[in-house]
Amino acid sequence: YYAFDSLRATMMLLGVVLHSAVTYSSQHEIRFPIKTKETSDVFYFLIYFIHTFRMPVFFLLAGFFGAFLFYNKSPEQMIKNRFKRIFLPFLVFLFVLQPFNSFAVKYCLAVFNGEIPVQLGEHFSSPSSYIPFTLGHLWFLYYLFIISVLVYLLSKLTKGFPSSSIDKLFGQTFKNPVYRFLTMTAISFIILFLFGVKAFETSI
């Protein structure tokens, strides 16, 4: 699916735009420690515009390919694939990326504050630099694997259940653009309302 590969690549590139713009945003509610003195509302609105659709697109694409494996192979093949493609990279890069991410933030903070930046050797001489205290930007892999495991377990629990009525309801709801829009909007609104937030929180 070349179109989906292109869509995924576009969302990745928009991630570079979004995370670069945070430094220049006029609002400080966005949790990012590095800020310039020259800020603008333009970057603030750009960030939230991209943020409204970027991560949902990633999760929808992951859901599409997960379902593709589930139905065209088997639930077992799906979970094996998700383990290799999501969970193992998550573990590896948690320990590979964390030290460099930690160094980059410390270095930039010092430069922006007019201080002497920490040096690479100095940073990596500390054992704590290698410990991933947070998931950082890998939180989405963590959530994707949890969702995959839940789907796999649900498929086992519901094995043998009559699914024709559920399939019919699902088909009627999601094949109609208006029903699909109203259903997804309603679900999102209810969840956000119950949690009392304006965006889904992702624990790292």
Side-chain angles (χ1 to χ4, degrees), residues 13 30 38 62-63 65 74-75 121 155 158 162 167 169 173 177-178 181 185 198:
L13 291 171
I30 300 162
E38 303 81 15
F65 287 110
S74 69
S155 74
T158 57
D167 288 343
L169 178 65
T173 303
V178 177
F181 173 77
T185 303
K198 61 182 178 182

Side-chain angles (χ1 to χ4, degrees), residues 30-202:
I30 300 162
R31 289 172 291 182
F32 193 66
I34 302 159
K35 290 279 186 183
T36 63
K37 292 176 183 176
E38 303 81 15
T39 60
S40 170
D41 286 339
V42 172
F43 293 107
Y44 173 71
F45 289 114
L46 177 67
I47 291 160
Y48 274 100
F49 172 67
I50 295 172
H51 219 37
T52 57
F53 63 84
R54 183 173 165 270
M55 291 313 296
V57 166
F58 278 130
F59 275 87
L60 282 169
L61 284 170
F64 173 84
F65 287 110
F68 187 85
L69 284 165
F70 187 98
Y71 288 109
N72 286 275
K73 300 286 184 180
S74 69
E76 285 73 25
Q77 288 295 317
M78 183 273 291
I79 200 68
K80 283 179 184 175
N81 178 279
R82 301 293 85 180
F83 181 80
K84 288 191 292 185
R85 296 290 300 274
I86 295 176
F87 189 70
L88 290 181
F90 164 73
L91 282 184
V92 170
F93 284 98
L94 188 61
F95 288 94
V96 172
L97 290 176
Q98 176 60 26
F100 291 100
N101 188 58
S102 174
F103 169 76
V105 171
K106 285 180 182 177
Y107 187 92
C108 291
L109 269 174
V111 170
F112 274 59
N113 292 330
E115 301 165 2
I116 299 171
V118 63
Q119 298 303 305
L120 201 63
E122 182 187 345
H123 175 74
F124 283 94
S125 64
S126 170
S128 64
S129 301
Y130 299 91
I131 302 170
F133 292 105
T134 71
L135 302 181
H137 283 79
L138 296 177
W139 64 264
F140 61 94
L141 294 179
Y142 169 72
Y143 279 98
L144 277 178
F145 190 68
I146 289 174
I147 293 167
S148 300
V149 170
L150 290 174
V151 167
Y152 174 75
L153 293 175
L154 194 62
S155 74
K156 293 299 165 190
L157 287 171
T158 57
K159 196 173 183 179
F161 280 32
S163 59
S164 56
S165 57
I166 296 171
D167 288 343
K168 186 179 178 182
L169 178 65
F170 188 86
Q172 287 175 341
T173 303
F174 287 92
K175 283 181 181 176
N176 184 305
V178 177
Y179 290 164
R180 182 170 64 237
F181 173 77
L182 292 174
T183 302
M184 297 306 290
T185 303
I187 292 169
S188 297
F189 175 80
I190 290 165
I191 293 171
L192 292 171
F193 181 78
L194 290 174
F195 280 89
V197 293
K198 61 182 178 182
F200 292 111
E201 293 293 327
T202 51

Side-chain angles (χ1 to χ4, degrees), residues 6-16 53-54 57-58 61:
S6 296
L7 179 60
R8 194 153 35 189
T10 303
M11 293 303 108
M12 287 298 293
L13 291 171
L14 280 177
V16 177
F53 63 84
R54 183 173 165 270
V57 166
F58 278 130
L61 284 170

